[in-house]
Amino acid sequence: MERKYNVEGMTCSACSAAVEREVSKVDGVSSVAVNLLTNSMKVDAEEGTNGAILQAVRDAGYKATPADGEEKAAKADEGVDPFEEELEEKKKRLITSIALLVPLFYIAMGSMAGLPIPGFLSGTENLLTFALVQFLLTTSILFINRHYYVNGIKSLVKRHPNMDALIAIGSGAAYLYGLFAIFQLSYGFGHGDMARVMHYGHELYFESAATIVVLIDLGKYLETRAKHRTSDAIRSLMDLTPSTATVIRDGEEVSIPVEDIAIGDHIVLKPGENVPVDGKVVEGLSSIDESALSGESIPVEKAPGDEVMAATTNGQGKLVMEATRVGEDTTISKIIDLVEDANATKAPISKLADRVAGVFVPIVIGIALATAIIWLAVGADREFALRLAISVLVISCPCALGLATPVAIMVGTGKGAKAGVLYKSAESLEVLSKIDTLVLDKTGTITNGKPFVTDVVALNRDPEALLETAYALEKSSEHPLAEGIIRAYEAHRKGAGAGEAKEVEDFQSLPGRGLKATLDGKTLYGGNMRLMEEIGHSVAPLKDALDRALSEGKTPLFFASEDELFGFIAAKDVVKKNSKEALEKLKDLGKTIVMLTGDNEKTAEVIGGDLAIDHIHAGVLPDEKEAFVRKYQEKGKVAMIGDGINDAPALARSDVGIAIGAGTDIAMESADVVLMHSDLLDVLSAVELSKATIRNIKQNLFWAFFYNVICIPIAAGVFYKAFGLTLNPMIAALAMSFSSIFVVTNALRLNLVKLEEVDRALEGEVEVEPNFVAIDKSDEDGYNTKQQETKEETMEQKILKIDGMSCNHCVERVGKALNDLDGVKATVSLDPGEAKVEGDNLDDDAMKKAVEEAGYKVTSIE
């Protein structure tokens, strides 16, 4: 069975690896996954192994407790955020440590800089007091940060040293040497040995011990600020489901907790309410906003028999639904589980410093011991041998090693924020620089995520008058398509100088169908094809234009009175201005581009046909997106880019998840990188900056070790016999400090990295100029479609038989090629493969040439 635990005390990937290693040794445990970001552990084990698992964690040097859902919920109700508590604790510890470090540094280094020192601390006679004050201040700092020593010693005892072990040894060596010096001062003053006093009065290195700890504290604080941002994603998902629901019991409507809903219960959904569980509609008509799960902005009409999912939002109609899946079986619960599983099983990139720590620490300790033993063996006094051994430990201080990653991350993320890119972890930086495949959600990522009017098709009337009528009707509606019509009319009115539209009366929403209202004393309707059929209108006169709009992935909205069909307005989501350029540049970098969408195949192909996309997958459900990511991960590193809640599992499962800036909070919480400006060109900036930052981190680590490699032999006295060269602890501390300065300075060079230039002016509202078309009734047998500007009543008509078209992209290309010819109006179909053209003085050769230049063959012209 599967169990979840909270683990306390982990600070680096070496800690999580140690926990996994110990727990995996327990009999009956089949799998274990430790999540460092959430300090949690998921174990698949047999019954009766709980005690052994808890003991194994203790054996690793940490503490585990079974995850308690009620306790977690209680903390949430109380407004307690564990991450904020941890960050605040680190902040207070850092501020207090700095407050103690400042006077310590002033006392220790002030006289060397010519600064005034209090009389009771200056002079040879006060050297003991001078040392004791430093001792007290340093002891206070180390006590405040005692967790480094507790965890470090534990890791050494358990034989899996981590960063805490390096900190404990480095700062502890300097601290113990300073304590040794105090005893020597006491002895010197007590025995009148002033030479000893003068010698050890300058051998105090308390400020080095304190500085090591405080600088590491600063690095840990900076890491913590960006470390746990994905931990809120699951709670955000849970918040989508209402806590109560209205059910029908014994013929009456009663409100009950969602947990009490049973399969078969009839639930009442009022306008604007969230759906509590999965089910099917048994009564009523309405539209459901499924954008939380599907990512698509246009609500889906629901009628009796249609399925609805938890965490979606009811529109303006009242529905009665029957619960079919409750509790952990609902779609939203499965998404939550996917996010949890993905976060738990994602293999974190081990920090280079943690990987080498297990080897570096024992080697340094061995060198220090060997130094002392060898010098004692060749006749050196104990003080000389001890001083050299301490120098070895101090020069190998992990300060620069600990700062190498967080300082570079701090500068890199700051640079990224200015460029519109927010990283959440060093892992995302490293993996993003190595990705092979980019998987993108369509709506809101490649496209704008909202409908734009593309066609105004009027029957026996002026198309501009139809747009004005539609605006008058739709400006009182909350339907997403209404937003597109309002936007189109206002933009057209501004350009054409048209006046204000008239006000309607008696506005009424018709759930699942559309709306009706009174304008100039006449009842008008706006809605879908079902509504037109209800009021007795056939859309046959609009068939050609309607088929063309549907083939291009557009959504039509019809308008009519009770006795006349006015026409339709088509709208669709359009590609963002920078998406085409961004995808082309990413493809030029050798990336495989994949588009996933919950849309139908026709709409997906229309959107992706003109873009640099290698693979298009349409009709993809939320859990299937996560499966597609896993599929492409078999071929290499995968980055997922999305903006909707439905993308959260895929974002979490991918090697690095990228959330578009204008998307949902949950997508951003689940992702590793957020594009703050909602522009795909920022993906290029993210990749470039990730490469530069990881390269900088590797440089920092190299130089941090380089100083050690150069200075350790000197500190060990390798060159003492030949050149009289040694390295006392003070110089070792200075070398350590210089290595830290070098690391920080090198990290600041990231500010000089040039990133992709993005024209932010293009982020404004997309302008789509509608295509105005007038359809006039010509005779009893049919209707003649023509552009509004066409004046002639009689046109030549021909049919071109075309070979080579295989999809709607082909249809669109041929249609564009023909319609670009002067005086030609073409309607292209895939089955049969032909183009119906009309116009004056049609030129067969020109039409044939246009089609062939588009890449297809004209077999005959009739």
Side-chain angles (χ1 to χ4, degrees):
M1 63 178 295
E2 188 176 271
R3 302 193 189 107
K4 295 181 181 180
Y5 299 86
N6 297 320
V7 183
E8 300 177 12
M10 297 189 299
T11 58
C12 67
S13 56
C15 302
S16 58
V19 173
E20 286 189 356
R21 185 166 56 248
E22 292 296 326
V23 174
S24 63
K25 295 177 182 178
V26 176
D27 291 335
V29 172
S30 56
S31 67
V32 55
V34 177
N35 190 336
L36 180 61
L37 293 178
T38 57
N39 289 322
S40 62
M41 176 176 66
K42 183 179 290 187
V43 181
D44 191 0
E46 299 175 358
E47 290 282 357
T49 56
N50 184 63
I53 291 172
L54 296 177
Q55 183 59 46
V57 176
R58 284 194 293 270
D59 291 341
Y62 307 93
K63 179 182 178 181
T65 55
D68 189 338
E70 294 182 1
E71 179 181 349
K72 183 178 180 181
K75 282 194 172 187
D77 293 339
E78 295 171 4
V80 178
D81 188 336
F83 163 67
E84 291 296 338
E85 284 185 327
E86 179 186 5
L87 186 63
E88 186 63 25
E89 180 185 349
K90 287 181 181 287
K91 183 178 179 180
K92 289 179 180 178
R93 187 165 61 236
L94 177 62
I95 292 174
T96 305
S97 298
I98 292 175
L100 292 170
L101 182 63
V102 170
L104 172 61
F105 240 96
Y106 185 88
I107 293 170
M109 313 297 290
S111 60
M112 299 174 63
L115 299 175
I117 300 295
F120 71 95
L121 295 176
S122 61
T124 304
E125 67 278 9
N126 293 315
L127 276 178
L128 186 58
T129 305
F130 176 76
L132 288 173
V133 170
Q134 292 186 54
F135 168 74
L136 292 175
L137 289 171
T138 303
T139 302
S140 299
I141 292 174
L142 299 191
F143 179 78
I144 291 170
N145 295 279
R146 60 189 178 278
H147 60 284
Y148 291 130
Y149 301 92
V150 173
N151 295 336
I153 293 172
K154 282 183 179 179
S155 70
L156 287 171
V157 171
K158 301 299 180 181
R159 291 181 296 181
H160 47 76
N162 56 13
M163 287 293 292
D164 288 341
L166 291 171
I167 296 167
I169 292 174
S171 61
Y175 179 77
L176 291 175
Y177 189 84
L179 190 60
F180 171 74
I182 287 180
F183 281 105
Q184 292 296 330
L185 286 173
S186 300
Y187 182 87
F189 277 117
H191 293 77
D193 187 352
M194 297 310 294
R196 184 184 295 268
V197 170
M198 291 301 294
H199 175 72
Y200 284 102
H202 299 287
E203 294 287 321
L204 299 172
Y205 305 108
F206 289 118
E207 77 282 357
S208 296
T211 301
I212 291 168
V213 172
V214 174
L215 287 177
I216 294 297
D217 247 358
L218 174 62
K220 290 290 185 180
Y221 173 73
L222 295 175
E223 284 182 305
T224 302
R225 290 182 62 181
K227 182 178 177 183
H228 295 305
R229 292 183 183 175
T230 57
S231 61
D232 292 333
I234 295 174
R235 184 169 62 251
S236 299
L237 286 171
M238 292 177 176
D239 289 342
L240 291 173
T241 305
S243 57
T244 61
T246 302
V247 301
I248 299 176
R249 296 279 173 85
D250 299 326
E252 296 183 358
E253 296 183 4
V254 294
S255 180
I256 64 171
V258 171
E259 294 79 10
D260 295 340
I261 297 177
I263 295 177
D265 277 345
H266 281 205
I267 303 164
V268 178
L269 292 177
K270 299 176 182 177
E273 288 186 341
N274 279 6
V275 180
V277 296
D278 292 356
K280 63 180 180 180
V281 177
V282 295
E283 182 181 328
L285 296 172
S286 185
S287 59
I288 296 289
D289 181 1
E290 297 182 346
S291 58
L293 295 180
S294 68
E296 307 306 323
S297 56
I298 299 178
V300 180
E301 296 166 0
K302 300 294 182 180
D306 292 336
E307 291 188 354
V308 292
M309 294 180 288
T312 56
T313 304
N314 185 27
Q316 297 177 340
K318 180 180 178 180
L319 294 176
V320 177
M321 59 170 285
E322 179 182 338
T324 57
R325 292 188 296 272
V326 300
E328 296 180 354
D329 295 327
T330 62
T331 302
I332 190 67
S333 293
K334 291 179 179 178
I335 291 178
I336 292 172
D337 288 340
L338 284 172
V339 173
E340 287 181 331
D341 291 342
N343 279 326
T345 57
K346 183 191 294 184
I349 305 298
S350 298
K351 310 293 189 299
L352 182 57
D354 287 323
R355 289 202 299 268
V356 302
V359 178
F360 180 70
V361 175
I363 290 176
V364 169
I365 294 174
I367 292 174
L369 289 173
T371 297
I373 293 171
I374 291 173
W375 279 108
L376 288 173
V378 298
D381 58 47
R382 287 180 297 178
E383 176 193 340
F384 181 82
L386 180 61
R387 181 166 63 85
L388 293 185
I390 294 296
S391 294
V392 171
L393 290 172
V394 172
I395 198 64
S396 61
C397 168
C399 185
L401 191 61
L403 284 175
T405 298
V407 172
I409 291 171
M410 179 181 67
V411 179
T413 53
K415 175 76 173 179
K418 293 179 182 178
V421 178
L422 176 63
Y423 299 96
K424 290 186 176 181
S425 67
E427 288 84 356
S428 62
L429 280 165
E430 185 170 353
V431 178
L432 188 57
S433 66
K434 302 175 182 177
I435 59 166
D436 305 297
T437 302
L438 273 170
V439 179
L440 301 94
D441 177 51
K442 178 186 74 68
T443 304
T445 302
I446 297 175
T447 66
N448 284 277
K450 51 188 175 182
F452 290 82
V453 171
T454 57
D455 301 274
V456 179
V457 181
L459 182 63
N460 299 325
R461 66 183 53 247
D462 181 0
E464 293 188 4
L466 173 59
L467 180 60
E468 182 176 348
T469 300
Y471 171 77
L473 290 172
E474 296 291 348
K475 66 181 180 179
S476 299
S477 173
E478 296 181 356
H479 195 282
L481 287 180
E483 178 189 346
I485 292 174
I486 293 170
R487 191 187 308 111
Y489 177 77
E490 291 178 346
H492 181 70
R493 183 186 68 191
K494 181 178 179 181
E500 288 284 346
K502 297 178 181 180
E503 295 291 331
V504 300
E505 300 175 346
D506 303 325
F507 178 88
Q508 182 181 349
S509 175
L510 303 175
R513 294 165 294 167
L515 58 85
K516 74 174 182 176
T518 302
L519 181 64
D520 294 332
K522 192 174 184 179
T523 301
L524 303 181
Y525 298 85
N528 56 24
M529 195 177 301
R530 182 190 300 176
L531 179 60
M532 295 300 104
E533 292 173 353
E534 287 183 6
I535 60 178
H537 288 308
S538 169
V539 297
L542 303 170
K543 184 178 185 303
D544 289 343
L546 180 59
D547 288 346
R548 185 164 57 250
L550 293 174
S551 70
E552 295 172 353
K554 300 173 183 178
T555 301
L557 201 60
F558 299 89
F559 295 90
S561 64
E562 292 183 342
D563 54 6
E564 183 182 4
L565 177 63
F566 296 161
F568 71 87
I569 293 179
K572 74 171 184 176
D573 195 3
V574 297
V575 175
K576 293 178 182 178
K577 289 188 175 180
N578 284 336
S579 292
K580 184 178 179 66
E581 178 187 357
L583 293 174
E584 288 174 352
K585 289 186 175 181
L586 287 168
K587 192 170 179 63
D588 290 341
L589 291 177
K591 310 299 181 186
T592 300
I593 310 297
V594 179
M595 186 177 82
L596 303 181
T597 178
D599 261 339
N600 60 67
E601 185 174 351
K602 183 177 294 183
T603 301
E605 288 182 352
V606 170
I607 292 292
D610 294 331
L611 302 176
I613 296 176
D614 297 295
H615 306 287
I616 298 175
H617 301 283
V620 181
L621 297 176
D623 55 341
E624 292 176 335
K625 288 188 177 184
E626 185 265 349
F628 273 108
V629 169
R630 282 192 281 111
K631 172 185 175 183
Y632 282 102
Q633 280 179 322
E634 296 175 359
K635 303 176 182 178
K637 298 288 185 182
V638 174
M640 170 71 192
I641 307 176
D643 74 320
I645 292 173
N646 66 306
D647 301 317
L651 287 169
R653 173 67 68 182
S654 63
D655 295 288
V656 56
I658 304 176
I660 210 75
T664 64
D665 290 338
I666 291 173
M668 296 184 190
E669 295 285 357
S670 300
D672 303 295
V673 180
V674 174
L675 303 182
M676 300 185 333
H677 292 291
S678 191
D679 195 316
L680 285 182
L681 280 176
D682 287 334
V683 175
L684 289 169
S685 295
V687 173
E688 292 167 0
L689 187 57
S690 68
K691 290 181 178 179
T693 304
I694 295 303
R695 183 167 58 248
N696 190 277
I697 290 174
K698 291 179 179 179
Q699 291 170 352
N700 286 345
L701 292 172
F702 169 79
W703 284 106
F705 284 113
F706 175 78
Y707 280 105
N708 290 321
V709 170
I710 293 297
C711 295
I712 284 178
I714 299 175
V718 172
F719 305 105
Y720 179 71
K721 291 290 186 179
F723 306 102
L725 182 62
T726 61
L727 193 63
N728 64 41
M730 186 62 179
I731 296 177
L734 288 174
M736 174 275 296
S737 299
F738 182 71
S739 66
S740 299
I741 293 171
F742 179 89
V743 164
V744 174
T745 304
N746 187 53
L748 291 174
R749 291 192 311 110
L750 286 170
N751 286 317
L752 304 177
V753 175
K754 292 184 178 181
L755 302 178
E756 188 72 22
E757 294 184 3
V758 181
D759 185 1
R760 300 298 178 193
L762 293 179
E763 290 184 2
E765 190 67 63
V766 175
E767 295 182 2
V768 177
E769 183 65 30
N771 179 34
F772 289 94
V773 179
I775 298 178
D776 295 331
K777 182 176 181 180
S778 58
D779 53 44
E780 295 182 357
D781 297 327
Y783 299 87
N784 179 35
T785 302
K786 62 181 180 179
Q787 294 291 339
Q788 182 182 1
E789 291 76 14
T790 304
K791 303 297 183 182
E792 293 78 8
E793 294 296 325
T794 303
M795 292 187 179
E796 184 180 3
Q797 296 184 350
K798 293 186 178 182
I799 297 178
L800 279 67
K801 298 294 184 179
I802 301 172
D803 189 21
M805 295 190 298
S806 59
C807 67
N808 288 317
H809 301 306
C810 303
V811 172
E812 188 175 355
R813 292 190 190 98
V814 173
K816 185 177 185 304
L818 290 171
N819 286 314
D820 283 346
L821 297 174
D822 291 337
V824 175
K825 174 63 179 176
T827 301
V828 185
S829 63
L830 182 61
D831 187 16
E834 63 182 25
K836 296 179 180 179
V837 295
E838 57 184 20
D840 295 320
N841 301 318
L842 295 176
D843 187 334
D844 291 358
D845 292 336
M847 291 188 295
K848 183 176 181 180
K849 181 180 179 182
V851 173
E852 290 177 348
E853 287 180 349
Y856 306 93
K857 182 180 180 181
V858 177
T859 56
S860 66
I861 300 178
E862 302 173 0

